[in-house]
Amino acid sequence: SFTVADIAEESNASDATVVRTCKSLGFSSFQDFKVSMARNLAYPLRTSYSVICPDDTAEMVVDKIFKENIHTLQMTFSASSARKIEEAAEILMQAERILIFAEGESHAVANDMQHKMMRLGMTAIAYTDTVLLLMASVIAKETDAVFMVDHCGDSANLVEAAKLCRSKGARIISLSSAPKSPLGKISDITLTTVSNETNFRMNSISSRLAQFTLIDCLCNIMYLKMPQTESVFGDIDEAMKRRKL
């Protein structure tokens, strides 16, 4: 995952020149340039393995899906910023509550994040019902951090929820493939995924795989910054053991 410094060194230019060049090309930042480049690199490969055809054999389907998922992780890694993930971790650690909003197929990602946050000793609540998440937005507080999962970043319900939370002073982190989307524009930080969703595949997991991975990165960074979580892990494991026969 290359940085401004890497590009500057390879081109014998200053960091400021690299940033100015990105902006002169129409990008809002170097990170925006990275995301766009990663997404453009992903599209030519669509014809080689990401499109599943009606006459594909089982072997071809397995090969295409594995390659696409691996490619999604590679492209998301290239577009990711460790600094931005760390900034998101800081926001979450400072919050009294973490509200996690998602709809549709993203509910699994929201529930996974709630599970991980609670294991870190954080107060986290996942809302995947539209009515409940809007109600939670109305009573959000400035001490809350809101984490929104929306692949396209254009869900009317989540955008409305983000506006409500913003009006209450809550910090907003979004997990999306579109940092310039309506949701991205409202968010303090957008963690960006890059994936190819095809028309043929049912419930493609590639985008969610990237989302799960970024959340895993986020939670592990928090774990390293919160040494007190070790005792929480132990208490939770002990409570779970007592539930086993």
Side-chain angles (χ1 to χ4, degrees), residues 85-95 218 221-222 225:
I85 299 173
E86 188 172 21
E87 288 177 1
E90 293 289 348
I91 290 175
L92 295 176
M93 288 188 295
Q94 294 168 10
L218 181 64
I221 290 173
M222 292 175 65
K225 291 176 175 289

Side-chain angles (χ1 to χ4, degrees), residues 16 35 74 94 119 134 138 152 154 186 190 199 208 212 216:
V35 171
Q74 290 173 333
Q94 294 168 10
R119 286 188 68 85
L134 287 173
V138 171
C152 296
D154 59 359
I186 300 172
T190 298
N199 292 329
R208 293 196 298 282
F212 281 126
D216 205 22

Side-chain angles (χ1 to χ4, degrees), residues 2 12 20 48 51 72 89 98 121 143 152 181 197 221 238-239 241:
F2 57 88
N12 294 318
R20 283 198 301 270
S48 63
V51 177
T72 292
I98 299 172
T143 53
C152 296
S181 65
E197 298 292 346
I221 290 173
E238 186 61 33
K241 287 178 182 178

Side-chain angles (χ1 to χ4, degrees), residues 39-234:
R39 186 171 289 109
N40 288 335
L41 287 172
Y43 290 145
L45 294 175
R46 179 184 292 273
T47 56
S48 63
Y49 58 69
S50 65
V51 177
I52 295 177
C53 303
D55 58 349
D56 281 349
T57 64
E59 289 78 8
M60 293 170 66
V61 170
V62 171
D63 181 69
K64 286 181 177 181
I65 289 177
F66 267 90
K67 285 182 177 177
E68 181 182 348
N69 289 343
I70 292 169
H71 182 246
T72 292
L73 290 177
Q74 290 173 333
M75 291 298 97
T76 297
F77 173 71
S78 296
S80 295
S81 164
R83 178 187 58 80
K84 185 173 288 189
I85 299 173
E86 188 172 21
E87 288 177 1
E90 293 289 348
I91 290 175
L92 295 176
M93 288 188 295
Q94 294 168 10
E96 289 186 4
R97 294 189 308 166
I98 299 172
L99 309 179
I100 309 164
F101 295 165
E103 289 184 310
E105 295 174 8
S106 296
H107 80 277
V109 180
N111 290 335
D112 177 71
M113 182 172 179
Q114 178 187 22
H115 180 268
K116 285 183 167 65
M117 289 292 110
M118 293 181 71
R119 286 188 68 85
L120 289 172
M122 308 297 293
T123 301
I125 311 168
Y127 295 95
T128 57
D129 177 87
T130 301
V131 174
L132 290 178
L133 69 84
L134 287 173
M135 290 173 64
S137 302
V138 171
I139 60 175
K141 302 177 181 178
E142 63 179 9
T143 53
D144 293 335
V146 183
F147 193 94
M148 313 195 94
V149 186
D150 183 8
H151 176 63
C152 296
D154 59 359
S155 164
N157 292 325
L158 292 183
V159 170
E160 177 61 23
K163 290 178 179 178
L164 288 169
C165 291
R166 170 70 72 194
S167 70
K168 302 295 183 178
R171 303 291 299 278
I172 300 173
I173 303 167
S174 59
L175 180 58
S176 168
S177 67
K180 292 184 178 181
S181 65
L183 181 59
K185 291 177 180 177
I186 300 172
S187 304
D188 293 286
I189 293 177
T190 298
L191 303 181
T192 308
T193 60
V194 181
S195 66
N196 283 334
E197 298 292 346
T198 69
N199 292 329
F200 189 83
R201 288 182 61 183
M202 293 288 291
N203 299 323
S204 173
I205 197 176
S206 61
S207 61
R208 293 196 298 282
L209 183 62
Q211 292 170 343
F212 281 126
T213 302
L214 282 179
I215 288 174
D216 205 22
C217 294
L218 181 64
C219 293
N220 275 278
I221 290 173
M222 292 175 65
Y223 174 75
L224 293 176
K225 291 176 175 289
M226 301 167 63
Q228 70 273 20
T229 59
E230 192 67 40
S231 62
V232 177
F233 268 60

Side-chain angles (χ1 to χ4, degrees), residues 3-4 7-8 11 13-23 30:
T3 64
V4 171
I7 299 297
S11 59
S14 66
D15 291 7
T17 299
V18 173
V19 174
R20 283 198 301 270
T21 300
C22 291
K23 290 185 176 180
F30 177 72

